Amino acid sequence: MARPRTFDEDRVLEAAMHAFWANGYEATSTRDLCEAVGLDRSSVYNAFTSKHELFKRVLTRYVNATTDTQLEILQDPTRSAAERIRALLGEIVDGEMENRRSGHPGCLTVNTTVEFAGRDAEIAALLERDLARRLEALRTVIETGRRAGDITSTRDSGDLARFLNAVIAGIRVTAQGGADRAALESIAATAVDALTA
């Protein structure tokens, strides 16, 4: 009979996330993970089978939480479509400022996309599913705004969704490069203007 786990899995995933977030996947050793989560090597491998599997669990948890927050903003019926997009971009800027204060180097999703660059099929599939979910939400809010008249760009809604996704990634990377809040807010405002001008 298997012995029950004697640790809090959520706490372990949170601690592992911070280790991967700080150093990236490749540079985070098993020893680093064991120190971060407070478990010995055998406990980590018994629970998660491999460093790769632990990373997948961490990344899944991160992208779900991040995207759920974004979708909540984009689906807020009390705001116009343009206000939802403005609020989403504001949330991204706020998040990057918080990451800087807390010592996190940017967004784990963006960092993973850059680090793996399509070299890992499982991670790529996870990121593609998340991207599809976010793009669909952006496309839907753009189409809602177009019908209401507050999104006036005549470009294809799918193209605009990809544009906004690229703006979000750009804000995150620019923040990592040290840009201040005013610069990030200017990027966000320009993106909204491109949709509503």
Side-chain angles (χ1 to χ4, degrees):
M1 189 165 111
R3 290 189 338 213
R5 289 186 183 167
T6 57
F7 60 84
D8 179 342
E9 187 169 304
D10 282 342
R11 186 197 63 75
V12 168
L13 290 173
E14 183 76 13
M17 178 187 73
H18 290 291
F20 285 125
W21 202 348
N23 303 308
Y25 176 79
E26 293 293 343
T28 304
S29 68
T30 303
R31 172 180 279 180
D32 294 333
L33 288 169
C34 291
E35 289 176 5
V37 303
L39 296 173
D40 62 30
R41 186 183 189 96
S42 64
S43 295
V44 170
Y45 281 98
N46 286 338
F48 302 103
T49 69
S50 68
K51 172 183 164 182
H52 187 267
E53 188 61 31
L54 175 56
F55 182 71
K56 274 191 349 189
R57 293 274 302 279
V58 162
L59 186 60
T60 298
R61 186 172 187 260
Y62 178 89
V63 298
N64 287 343
T66 302
T67 299
D68 286 350
T69 298
Q70 292 180 14
L71 267 55
E72 187 176 326
I73 294 168
L74 291 174
Q75 295 166 353
D76 180 355
T78 67
R79 292 173 165 160
S80 72
E83 288 168 344
R84 293 179 212 180
I85 292 167
R86 192 174 289 111
L88 172 64
L89 295 174
E91 171 72 18
I92 300 300
V93 171
D94 289 346
E96 289 308 312
M97 292 295 97
E98 179 54 35
N99 285 346
R100 185 176 294 168
R101 280 190 295 276
S102 63
H104 288 126
C107 168
L108 184 60
T109 304
V110 172
N111 296 351
T112 300
T113 301
V114 171
E115 180 177 3
F116 279 81
R119 293 182 293 114
D120 184 301
E122 287 182 287
I123 298 299
L126 192 162
L127 293 172
E128 284 169 18
R129 284 191 301 273
D130 179 61
L131 175 60
R133 189 175 170 219
R134 288 183 289 110
L135 288 176
E136 178 60 21
L138 288 166
R139 187 187 61 74
T140 298
V141 77
I142 288 163
E143 290 178 356
T144 298
R146 189 170 278 153
R147 286 191 299 272
D150 62 319
I151 302 290
T152 55
S153 172
T154 58
R155 289 194 172 271
D156 177 77
S157 59
D159 291 344
L160 290 173
R162 284 185 288 278
F163 163 71
L164 284 174
N165 186 67
V167 168
I168 290 167
I171 288 171
R172 293 189 187 287
V173 171
T174 302
Q176 284 188 52
D180 63 14
R181 176 180 283 277
L184 302 181
E185 288 177 343
S186 175
I187 294 168
T190 302
V192 175
D193 287 349
L195 299 176
T196 58

